[in-house]
Amino acid sequence: MLRSTNEATNDLNLLGHPEDLIQLLTPAGDRVADPSYESWVADVTDEQLGSLYEDMVVARRIDTEATALQRQGQLGLWPPLLGQEAAQIGSARTLRTDDFVFSSYRENAVAYCRGVDLTDIVRVWRGTAASGWNPYDIGMATPAVIIGAQTLHATGYAIGCQKDGVDSVAIAYFGDGATSQGDVNEAMIFAASFKAPVVFFCQNNQWAISEPVGLQATRPIADRAPGFGIPSMRVDGNDVLAVMAATRIALDRARRGDGPTFIEAVTYRMGPHTTSDDPSRYVDPEVQQEWAAKDPIIRLERLLKATGLLADELVASVKAKADAVAKEMRDGCYGLEAPEALTVFDNVYATPHSWLERQKSQYAAYLASFEGEK
Amino acid sequence: MLRSTNEATNDLNLLGHPEDLIQLLTPAGDRVADPSYESWVADVTDEQLGSLYEDMVVARRIDTEATALQRQGQLGLWPPLLGQEAAQIGSARTLRTDDFVFSSYRENAVAYCRGVDLTDIVRVWRGTAASGWNPYDIGMATPAVIIGAQTLHATGYAIGCQKDGVDSVAIAYFGDGATSQGDVNEAMIFAASFKAPVVFFCQNNQWAISEPVGLQATRPIADRAPGFGIPSMRVDGNDVLAVMAATRIALDRARRGDGPTFIEAVTYRMGPHTTSDDPSRYVDPEVQQEWAAKDPIIRLERLLKATGLLADELVASVKAKADAVAKEMRDGCYGLEAPEALTVFDNVYATPHSWLERQKSQYAAYLASFEGEK
Amino acid sequence: MAQQSLSGAINTGLRRALADDPKVVLLGEDIGTLGGVFRVTDGLQKEFGTDRVMDTPLAEAGILGTAVGLAFRGYRPVVEIQFDGFIYPAFDQIVAQVAKLHYRTGGNVKMPITIRVPYGGGIGAVEHHSESPEAYFAHTAGLRVVTCSNPQDAHTMIRQAIACDDPVLFFEPKRRYWVKGEVNEDLDEQTVSMERAHTVQEGTDVTLVAYGPLVITARDAALAAADEGISVEVIDLRSLAPIDFAAVEASVRKTGRLVITHEASQYGGIGAEVAASITERCFYHLESAPARVTGFDVPYPAAKLEEHHLPDLDRILDAVDRVMGRENSLTGWSA
Amino acid sequence: MAQQSLSGAINTGLRRALADDPKVVLLGEDIGTLGGVFRVTDGLQKEFGTDRVMDTPLAEAGILGTAVGLAFRGYRPVVEIQFDGFIYPAFDQIVAQVAKLHYRTGGNVKMPITIRVPYGGGIGAVEHHSESPEAYFAHTAGLRVVTCSNPQDAHTMIRQAIACDDPVLFFEPKRRYWVKGEVNEDLDEQTVSMERAHTVQEGTDVTLVAYGPLVITARDAALAAADEGISVEVIDLRSLAPIDFAAVEASVRKTGRLVITHEASQYGGIGAEVAASITERCFYHLESAPARVTGFDVPYPAAKLEEHHLPDLDRILDAVDRVMGRENSLTGWSA
Ligand SMILES: Cc1ncc(C[n+]2csc(CCOP(=O)(O)OP(=O)(O)O)c2C)c(N)n1
Ligand SMILES: Cc1ncc(C[n+]2csc(CCOP(=O)(O)OP(=O)(O)O)c2C)c(N)n1
Ligand SMILES: [Mg+2]
Ligand SMILES: [Mg+2]
């Protein structure tokens, strides 16, 4: 069950030294020839390039729409993913429906790829429910807000897949800040020991609220995993093709029974941490500008233009899709009402609970005591 | 405050790739010429070699004596350090009195080097006190039983030294099993971020009770630290000179302001986990034999013999010392009585506490109610 | 129907659970080859394999977090925490994840995780090996907390805990591991239920509520009290969250007096909830204020002091005298 | 004497502590450049430097464990836990280390660590941002637990907490951060003490015990009760461990009735200890069973449901009617 040092070393060679950043598409929109990775996306057709473009545009639209809804007071809070579209779409689009996602709160583009009902995306942020969706419907757990906790859940789920003898994979999404949590390190240790089919997908967006990644790590985050016996890759997180390639390599290793892989997707949080954050207190506008120039959508747009794939129909259909998605989400949001009072007692337990039933019954009596009043 | 990747890399080069095992004294008792490390123990005089020998013999004697006391029912429990004398003596003897040790329960040879009162070593194991000694008297915290917790304490203490502008160093002792705990990983992260003058000294004795190190780590433990930006060394833990050299390098780096260093001392737990453990259930006798051949004391004895330093006087004085120490500890142990009942309420708080005072007063009344009875 | 020790009864209960349901998996430190430091899982890895009985790396948060993932995948993880004092590194995973996931997922994801915890003192151990942390978990919505006091209950209850679709903290009174008793492995819910309190002995003057390691002590105290002409009804709670208050209430309505005992610290302990709830439910039946006989509000003390810290027969009798209005250690005491 | 908001009063309290004692250091996530997500540490890093006010890596156990080491070295760390729900990863360091080290070292090593925790609900937040975990710490020997309800107390108490040689959990009612009030920075121990309960309003019929965010609600309830001819005495506990029971007892001996309210879940909460202890101390002065008005025993609910979960004026008045023996929501109710 435990892997030998040699195997691990081979894996490391296979994946190259974590420090070089994998890139297949430059900010200028040029394809990069990289033998060890481009083969993993060689099958991506022009059409699929177009749909990746659509996904990213739609994801950004969902994000800006939700941000607007929060500004209008329709949502209590929203954690923008602005700038991280390639990291999320590129990875999530490589997953199979029988794979399972354990994410944090910012992975709404991932949820979109998993086929989430758009209304479900805003449910929790509107405060009308504890849960957005049924994890088993879309193969994605409801987000973990406790930083890092979900990485262990992904590892356990992966061990379960292993026991079931299936080649499904669990993928954990987490941030650069999360890598400081004990849970994330323990997840790597458990995953390595049991050779679990799990992918650790770290979106290094340079910030943990106001804390720069340099406070969490004094070396590239991808450097850590190898020490735990987990091969890692450091990929340009704003390059949807590179992200796809890296994720496919990781998924392939997991399905082949080679165990966990760690991916550091180097990207940037272009928006505030959440709608209640004020980045002007800590973000350097110049750095922000540098990253704006590396925008994931623009670079793919440039490629599509250059290769003549950005036909008017595509532009039009993408816009139409984005509008439709935004409208569906907005309408769904408006339709979300406060739940009935006594539902506050639901789902605490799966089986009858004498104490809670008594409490519920007493509160029902309390509510009843107001009936007839004004 | 944060170190750059380059610095870290240089450190790594400086310390060599963690995987090669540093050794200056072979099991056969031959000195190994290793330019990058032998210079660090070049100043060790023949006399000092003799006292290192004495320390190890005494440490083993303390250990066997305490084990005997447990067998006789004088102690409730004892965690033998048998086989780990070189790792503990070699490292602890390089410390200054103003350095501070944060250890686990097995580091009794370290406590001996710190000048602990011999009776204090057995106090806790006899169950007569919560604490063996005053940490400030010997620059060593009372042992942490919660695996890994002390590594963070050492890091915090080191940050304190940094703030005070002194070149004192904190050293954390922990085991191979401890490296799986989130706390130990967080300690490395904090130490790296704040460049704290702390030495992480891991005694890899191959076992965490019945679990082999392979369950905790699929690669050498020393491989982990570099990923966190902490240079590491992998040293023959049964070679007192190699351990000294490695520890001195680490201490020197810390004092120079270069931050934390990780040392993996590869050794073997020759005894049971504790006196209540039954290793026959999980230890392979052959492996045990292989390690017996690498005994830390025997190899130094061979060197001393070969170099004619093992004079009869030395042998005699060492034996006398060991006998004296054992006797002092044994007598001290016998002298330890159960504390007075009401002391159970002492030291819970440093300042008056109304609730606890009431509880104490009521228990005093309860005890008084028996007075006069038979 | 054979004699089994309490630890042996849990072992046979685990064996039955592993045999009956392929989704049951055991996780913990040293539970495989070694069979656990208390041998509670002895022989199970040999019988069911390393896939069903897994030794894990030394990290409690890792163990619980992994169990959560296994539960997501449809497994029923049974986790062993080696000693009571080592459960805290897993506190976040237990309180923020295990306890809340069913609620968080709108009831779609079940967390049928059983967390076995050898707990309590009286074995002369060093720090962290004798604690009673049950109140932390009883105060946490989403968790169930139970504890056993004899081999029969231990066997039946561990199987009920594993079969339960909610997460269950299963506290094992380690100092009673060696107590022997008849065990019928085929008892039904009606006879022994982890949710229902058990009246160990009937009485009419005082209701004495105990659980886990102190049930035996409480029963002995009741016998001693009888000699003094006091009829004590002893109730073994079994479930600490929720507590079977209907049973305790019925008893107190009869006796009018209540004494609660546990090893855990008193301040904010289970005893406080029992006293508060029972006072709420039958205030007008109470002849005197409920009394608590518990461990002191100190870190678990050195072995040579634990005899003072732990409630014993005399301290319980003293409280019985107090609720009976007889002379006791606090007669004439003033703060 | 200037008007300060509750958060501002803590900020000035921290500033004074940093200025008065060079050993005071602040540690936490986002407390430096950002000044904390609630701006409680706003400007302090600028004023005292990164050596005194440290942004730490994102790991609560790491923060507390580091604070322990700093305390060993003679520092007085003041730690900020960003939100109540994020304290659990540090639970082991707090409960097994911070709380026990003074005891473990025979009183030789002090742990003057202050753990600041913005807590409680009412701000429409998502999960883990509205919890009230005080009972876990109150049940832990070795820790002190306090909470403030107004700017003056906030300022004086945070300084007293930092000056205290014992570890102190300092719970800050986040939904009251913006409440303004007069703050005299030079008050002495006699006037405001974190150890002594404060009688917010005198009354003769019912003693209403509250703390933190609900003190304002309790006072409003008392005013409303007055209109119904019920005289309610409102007590702000301030210290939750230990509780100033002498003050509560004196009040209940006068009123004969007790209502306790807190946002935290009821089962095993602070209210249970108050009810149990007061019943023990003045059973024969009680006219009715102490009543508890608390959050439900559920994970903190979605924002749109929190109005039901949180005790409010009406629920408190309903309990006041209950202890007064007047008609109330449970009149005629049966399980
Ligand atoms: C255990 C825990 N501590 C603190 C927080 C508060 N918090 C929420 S998000 C966040 C920063 C997370 O940064 P990162 O992991 O990089 O993810 P990102 O927000 O950048 O996507 C913090 C500190 C939390 N949610 N959980
Ligand atoms: C948090 C925690 N979990 C479990 C234990 C029980 N335990 C005591 S020692 C030990 C093994 C430790 O192994 P290692 O770190 O290698 O140190 P060694 O005993 O080999 O010196 C375990 C699991 C503990 N003390 N603390
Ligand atoms: Mg980030
Ligand atoms: Mg070991």
Side-chain angles (χ1 to χ4, degrees):
Chain A
M1 178 193 290
L2 303 181
R3 51 206 297 226
S4 84
T5 304
N6 309 346
E7 278 169 28
T9 328
N10 298 339
D11 288 341
L12 293 177
N13 302 342
L14 163 75
L15 299 182
H17 185 280
E19 269 194 49
D20 30 73
L21 199 67
I22 302 164
Q23 190 181 66
L24 295 175
L25 180 63
T26 69
D30 305 322
R31 292 289 289 257
V32 179
D34 182 330
S36 50
Y37 296 98
E38 64 190 347
S39 59
W40 289 90
V41 289
D43 65 330
V44 177
T45 64
D46 291 351
E47 199 178 358
Q48 289 170 326
L49 272 183
S51 70
L52 285 172
Y53 173 69
E54 178 188 291
D55 286 340
M56 291 198 287
V57 172
V58 171
R60 183 164 294 184
R61 181 62 175 273
I62 288 174
D63 197 58
T64 46
E65 189 68 29
T67 302
L69 284 167
Q70 193 281 335
R71 298 298 178 211
Q72 296 156 25
Q74 295 294 330
L75 299 181
L77 187 78
W78 179 257
L81 63 90
L82 189 68
Q84 300 176 221
E85 296 84 0
Q88 295 190 23
I89 300 290
S91 55
R93 276 299 176 215
T94 63
L95 302 175
R96 289 192 329 214
T97 54
D98 62 317
D99 293 331
F100 210 94
V101 176
F102 291 87
S103 82
S104 184
Y105 43 81
R106 204 181 296 283
E107 285 68 60
N108 292 297
V110 173
Y112 171 69
C113 292
R114 300 302 285 172
V116 70
D117 175 309
L118 293 159
T119 308
D120 287 345
I121 290 187
V122 290
R123 225 173 263 283
V124 169
W125 307 107
R126 187 167 170 88
T128 56
S131 172
W133 57 81
N134 176 346
Y136 296 124
D137 288 344
I138 62 173
M140 177 171 180
T142 41
V145 171
I146 298 292
I147 299 299
Q150 73 279 15
T151 56
L152 280 165
H153 306 166
T155 301
Y157 188 93
I159 291 171
C161 295
Q162 204 175 35
K163 293 186 189 300
D164 295 340
V166 298
D167 70 348
S168 307
V169 176
I171 180 168
Y173 285 90
F174 53 98
D176 46 300
T179 60
S180 291
Q181 285 286 1
D183 281 10
V184 175
N185 295 277
E186 292 184 11
M188 290 198 273
I189 290 164
F190 276 63
S193 284
F194 296 112
K195 212 171 179 182
V198 57
V199 177
F200 293 107
F201 194 91
C202 175
Q203 288 175 80
N204 174 0
N205 65 2
Q206 313 301 320
W207 294 102
I209 304 186
S210 73
E211 300 187 340
V213 62
L215 180 58
Q216 318 287 346
T218 61
R219 295 179 53 75
I221 287 168
D223 278 11
R224 288 186 193 173
F228 290 97
I230 300 175
S232 68
M233 289 173 274
R234 194 151 193 259
V235 58
D236 180 339
N238 286 4
D239 170 349
V240 71
L241 291 175
V243 172
M244 268 189 109
T247 313
R248 283 176 164 179
I249 290 172
L251 290 169
D252 184 60
R253 291 189 69 257
R255 300 197 204 286
R256 287 206 327 264
D258 292 340
T261 307
F262 188 103
I263 296 172
E264 176 189 0
V266 182
T267 178
Y268 195 82
R269 195 194 77 206
M270 294 300 291
H273 169 67
T274 67
T275 45
S276 32
D277 178 36
D278 172 12
S280 73
R281 283 181 161 245
Y282 57 85
V283 169
D284 173 348
E286 289 193 1
V287 177
Q288 181 93 4
Q289 279 318 306
E290 287 167 23
W291 280 94
K294 303 180 191 166
D295 187 84
I297 297 183
I298 294 176
R299 73 171 77 177
L300 182 54
E301 205 166 79
R302 286 178 175 149
L303 174 67
L304 294 173
K305 274 218 188 73
T307 52
L309 294 171
L310 200 68
D312 301 353
E313 309 77 62
L314 178 61
V315 177
S317 70
V318 168
K319 184 177 182 316
K321 173 76 177 200
D323 292 341
V325 165
K327 183 173 188 315
E328 186 182 340
M329 186 175 78
R330 194 172 55 248
D331 295 347
C333 176
Y334 293 146
L336 294 173
E337 301 295 344
E340 193 263 313
L342 293 178
T343 59
V344 70
F345 298 100
D346 297 348
N347 301 319
V348 180
Y349 297 93
T351 59
H353 191 281
S354 57
W355 172 270
L356 201 58
E357 274 160 13
R358 179 186 170 96
Q359 199 169 68
K360 179 178 182 177
S361 147
Q362 293 193 337
Y363 190 60
Y366 171 78
L367 292 175
S369 71
F370 287 93
E371 276 159 24
E373 278 189 22
K374 52 189 142 15
Chain B
M1 181 192 287
L2 304 180
R3 49 204 299 223
S4 83
T5 304
N6 309 346
E7 280 170 24
T9 327
N10 297 341
D11 289 340
L12 292 178
N13 302 342
L14 162 75
L15 300 181
H17 186 280
E19 269 194 50
D20 30 71
L21 199 67
I22 302 165
Q23 190 181 67
L24 295 175
L25 180 63
T26 69
D30 305 322
R31 291 291 290 258
V32 179
D34 182 330
S36 48
Y37 296 98
E38 63 188 348
S39 60
W40 289 90
V41 288
D43 64 329
V44 177
T45 63
D46 292 350
E47 200 178 357
Q48 289 170 327
L49 272 183
S51 71
L52 284 172
Y53 174 68
E54 178 190 290
D55 286 339
M56 292 199 286
V57 171
V58 170
R60 182 163 295 184
R61 181 60 174 275
I62 287 175
D63 197 58
T64 45
E65 188 68 29
T67 301
L69 284 167
Q70 193 281 335
R71 299 296 178 212
Q72 296 157 23
Q74 294 295 330
L75 299 181
L77 187 79
W78 179 257
L81 63 89
L82 190 68
Q84 301 177 219
E85 296 84 0
Q88 294 189 23
I89 299 291
S91 54
R93 276 296 175 221
T94 63
L95 302 175
R96 291 194 325 216
T97 53
D98 63 317
D99 293 330
F100 210 93
V101 176
F102 290 87
S103 83
S104 185
Y105 42 81
R106 205 180 298 281
E107 284 68 60
N108 292 298
V110 173
Y112 171 70
C113 292
R114 300 303 285 171
V116 69
D117 175 308
L118 292 160
T119 308
D120 287 346
I121 290 187
V122 290
R123 223 173 263 284
V124 169
W125 307 107
R126 186 165 170 90
T128 56
S131 173
W133 56 82
N134 176 346
Y136 297 124
D137 288 344
I138 63 173
M140 177 172 180
T142 40
V145 170
I146 298 292
I147 300 299
Q150 74 279 14
T151 57
L152 280 165
H153 306 165
T155 301
Y157 188 94
I159 292 172
C161 295
Q162 205 175 36
K163 292 186 190 302
D164 295 341
V166 298
D167 70 348
S168 308
V169 175
I171 180 167
Y173 284 90
F174 52 99
D176 46 298
T179 60
S180 290
Q181 286 286 1
D183 280 10
V184 175
N185 294 277
E186 292 185 11
M188 289 197 273
I189 290 165
F190 276 64
S193 285
F194 297 111
K195 212 171 177 179
V198 57
V199 177
F200 294 107
F201 193 92
C202 176
Q203 288 175 81
N204 174 0
N205 64 4
Q206 314 299 322
W207 294 102
I209 304 187
S210 73
E211 300 187 340
V213 63
L215 180 57
Q216 318 287 347
T218 60
R219 294 178 56 73
I221 286 168
D223 277 11
R224 288 186 192 172
F228 289 98
I230 300 176
S232 68
M233 289 173 275
R234 194 151 194 260
V235 58
D236 180 338
N238 287 5
D239 170 350
V240 71
L241 291 175
V243 171
M244 268 190 109
T247 313
R248 283 176 164 180
I249 290 172
L251 290 169
D252 184 60
R253 291 189 69 256
R255 299 197 204 287
R256 286 204 330 263
D258 292 340
T261 307
F262 188 103
I263 296 172
E264 176 189 359
V266 182
T267 177
Y268 195 82
R269 195 195 75 206
M270 295 299 291
H273 169 68
T274 66
T275 45
S276 31
D277 179 34
D278 173 12
S280 72
R281 284 183 161 245
Y282 56 85
V283 169
D284 173 347
E286 289 194 4
V287 177
Q288 182 92 4
Q289 279 318 308
E290 288 168 24
W291 279 94
K294 303 180 191 167
D295 187 85
I297 297 182
I298 295 175
R299 74 171 78 176
L300 182 54
E301 206 166 77
R302 286 178 175 149
L303 173 68
L304 293 174
K305 273 217 189 73
T307 52
L309 294 171
L310 199 68
D312 301 352
E313 309 77 60
L314 178 60
V315 178
S317 70
V318 167
K319 184 177 182 316
K321 173 78 177 195
D323 291 341
V325 164
K327 182 173 189 316
E328 185 181 340
M329 187 176 78
R330 193 172 55 248
D331 295 347
C333 176
Y334 293 146
L336 293 173
E337 299 296 344
E340 193 264 313
L342 293 178
T343 59
V344 70
F345 298 100
D346 296 349
N347 301 318
V348 180
Y349 297 93
T351 60
H353 190 281
S354 58
W355 173 271
L356 201 59
E357 274 160 14
R358 180 187 171 95
Q359 199 168 69
K360 179 177 182 178
S361 147
Q362 293 192 339
Y363 190 60
Y366 171 79
L367 292 176
S369 72
F370 288 92
E371 275 160 25
E373 280 187 22
K374 53 187 140 17
Chain C
M1 200 161 82
Q3 284 271 328
Q4 295 183 13
S5 66
L6 193 149
S7 56
I10 296 172
N11 178 275
T12 55
L14 292 170
R15 173 175 281 106
R16 287 288 291 266
L18 282 160
D20 296 347
D21 183 348
K23 290 299 187 185
V24 171
V25 291
L26 274 51
L27 289 84
E29 297 158 6
D30 305 291
I31 67 169
T33 325
L34 185 64
V37 295
F38 288 106
R39 307 295 185 263
V40 173
T41 55
D42 195 19
L44 298 180
Q45 187 178 64
K46 213 187 197 80
E47 185 172 343
F48 297 95
T50 54
D51 230 42
R52 303 286 308 281
V53 181
M54 305 165 67
D55 270 332
T56 67
L58 206 179
E60 289 72 16
I63 295 170
L64 265 298
T66 303
V68 167
L70 281 162
F72 254 97
R73 182 74 197 177
Y75 283 85
R76 286 187 178 273
V78 181
V79 161
E80 172 174 302
I81 296 295
Q82 202 163 73
F83 280 89
D84 35 64
F86 309 143
I87 198 169
Y88 307 122
F91 202 75
D92 179 63
Q93 283 289 342
I94 296 173
V95 164
Q97 305 300 332
V98 173
K100 296 183 171 67
L101 269 160
H102 186 258
Y103 193 78
R104 181 181 305 150
T105 59
N108 287 300
V109 179
K110 294 193 169 47
M111 285 289 130
I113 299 174
T114 302
I115 305 173
R116 294 183 40 242
V117 188
Y119 80 120
I123 61 166
V126 292
E127 206 186 351
H128 309 294
H129 292 70
S130 307
E131 302 183 5
S132 299
E134 62 271 18
Y136 294 127
F137 304 98
H139 181 57
T140 305
L143 300 176
R144 289 177 183 273
V145 182
V146 305
T147 182
C148 53
S149 64
N150 61 71
Q152 179 65 67
D153 286 7
H155 178 89
T156 307
M157 287 171 67
I158 187 64
R159 290 170 63 186
Q160 289 173 351
I162 294 169
C164 178
D165 277 345
D166 289 313
V168 179
L169 271 290
F170 190 85
F171 284 98
E172 307 172 357
K174 69 171 84 82
R175 69 162 137 152
R176 305 299 188 194
Y177 269 147
W178 301 273
V179 171
K180 281 190 145 28
E182 293 278 305
V183 174
N184 174 350
E185 301 194 6
D186 305 313
L187 278 193
D188 60 356
E189 285 274 334
Q190 304 323 316
T191 327
V192 171
S193 163
M194 72 174 189
E195 291 178 43
R196 283 204 316 282
H198 172 235
T199 303
V200 177
Q201 168 173 326
E202 306 223 327
T204 55
D205 301 327
V206 177
T207 299
L208 173 56
V209 170
Y211 58 85
L214 293 182
V215 171
I216 291 178
T217 316
R219 197 203 49 214
D220 296 345
L223 297 179
D227 302 340
E228 296 177 12
I230 305 176
S231 167
V232 175
E233 178 151 295
V234 178
I235 294 182
D236 176 354
L237 288 180
R238 282 195 191 132
S239 176
L240 307 182
I243 285 172
D244 180 359
F245 278 118
V248 182
E249 180 177 351
S251 174
V252 174
R253 281 175 183 267
K254 178 176 64 179
T255 63
R257 302 181 189 81
L258 174 64
V259 172
I260 311 122
T261 186
H262 54 64
E263 291 188 11
S265 295
Q266 181 166 118
Y267 200 84
I270 296 292
E273 184 53 59
V274 174
S277 280
I278 289 304
T279 303
E280 222 168 277
R281 288 165 180 248
C282 35
F283 183 73
Y284 298 104
H285 296 77
L286 282 175
E287 307 276 343
S288 56
R292 294 178 279 171
V293 183
T294 71
F296 303 128
D297 290 286
V298 305
Y300 199 89
K304 296 273 194 266
L305 281 171
E306 69 180 342
E307 58 169 318
H308 294 289
H309 180 70
L310 295 173
D312 60 12
L313 187 141
D314 288 330
R315 275 172 69 194
I316 292 174
L317 288 179
D318 184 55
V320 166
D321 285 338
R322 187 170 315 123
V323 298
M324 287 298 291
R326 297 192 180 184
E327 176 164 8
N328 65 87
S329 69
L330 295 186
T331 308
W333 172 89
S334 74
Chain D
M1 202 162 83
Q3 284 270 328
Q4 294 184 13
S5 66
L6 192 150
S7 56
I10 297 171
N11 178 275
T12 55
L14 291 170
R15 173 174 282 105
R16 287 288 292 265
L18 282 160
D20 296 347
D21 183 350
K23 289 299 187 187
V24 172
V25 291
L26 274 51
L27 289 85
E29 297 159 6
D30 306 290
I31 67 169
T33 325
L34 186 63
V37 295
F38 288 107
R39 308 295 185 262
V40 174
T41 54
D42 195 19
L44 298 180
Q45 187 179 65
K46 214 189 197 76
E47 186 173 342
F48 297 95
T50 53
D51 230 44
R52 304 286 307 281
V53 181
M54 306 166 67
D55 269 333
T56 67
L58 206 180
E60 288 72 16
I63 295 170
L64 265 299
T66 303
V68 167
L70 281 162
F72 255 96
R73 182 75 197 175
Y75 283 85
R76 287 186 178 274
V78 181
V79 161
E80 173 175 300
I81 296 295
Q82 202 162 72
F83 280 88
D84 35 64
F86 308 143
I87 197 169
Y88 308 121
F91 202 75
D92 178 63
Q93 283 290 341
I94 296 173
V95 164
Q97 305 301 331
V98 174
K100 297 184 169 67
L101 269 159
H102 186 259
Y103 193 76
R104 181 180 306 148
T105 59
N108 287 301
V109 179
K110 292 192 171 47
M111 284 289 131
I113 299 174
T114 301
I115 305 173
R116 293 184 39 243
V117 189
Y119 82 120
I123 62 167
V126 293
E127 206 186 351
H128 310 294
H129 292 71
S130 306
E131 302 181 5
S132 299
E134 63 271 18
Y136 294 126
F137 305 98
H139 181 57
T140 306
L143 301 176
R144 288 176 183 274
V145 183
V146 305
T147 182
C148 54
S149 65
N150 63 70
Q152 179 66 66
D153 286 5
H155 178 89
T156 307
M157 288 171 66
I158 188 65
R159 289 170 63 185
Q160 290 173 350
I162 295 171
C164 178
D165 276 344
D166 289 314
V168 180
L169 271 290
F170 190 86
F171 284 98
E172 305 173 357
K174 69 171 84 80
R175 69 162 138 151
R176 306 299 189 195
Y177 268 148
W178 302 274
V179 170
K180 280 192 149 22
E182 292 278 305
V183 173
N184 174 351
E185 302 193 6
D186 305 312
L187 279 192
D188 59 356
E189 285 274 335
Q190 304 324 315
T191 326
V192 171
S193 162
M194 72 174 189
E195 291 179 43
R196 282 205 316 281
H198 169 59
T199 303
V200 178
Q201 168 173 326
E202 306 222 330
T204 54
D205 300 327
V206 177
T207 299
L208 173 56
V209 170
Y211 57 86
L214 292 181
V215 171
I216 290 177
T217 315
R219 197 203 49 215
D220 295 346
L223 298 178
D227 301 343
E228 296 177 12
I230 306 175
S231 168
V232 176
E233 179 150 296
V234 179
I235 294 182
D236 176 354
L237 290 180
R238 281 193 190 135
S239 176
L240 307 182
I243 285 172
D244 179 359
F245 278 118
V248 182
E249 180 177 352
S251 174
V252 174
R253 280 173 183 270
K254 177 175 65 178
T255 62
R257 302 181 190 83
L258 173 65
V259 172
I260 311 121
T261 187
H262 55 63
E263 291 187 10
S265 295
Q266 180 168 117
Y267 200 84
I270 296 292
E273 184 54 57
V274 174
S277 279
I278 289 304
T279 303
E280 224 167 274
R281 290 167 180 245
C282 35
F283 182 73
Y284 298 104
H285 295 77
L286 282 176
E287 307 276 344
S288 56
R292 292 178 281 172
V293 183
T294 71
F296 303 128
D297 290 285
V298 304
Y300 199 89
K304 297 271 195 264
L305 280 172
E306 70 179 342
E307 58 168 317
H308 294 288
H309 180 71
L310 294 172
D312 61 9
L313 187 140
D314 288 330
R315 276 173 67 194
I316 292 174
L317 288 178
D318 184 55
V320 166
D321 286 337
R322 187 170 314 124
V323 298
M324 288 296 292
R326 296 192 181 185
E327 178 167 6
N328 65 87
S329 69
L330 296 186
T331 309
W333 173 88
S334 73

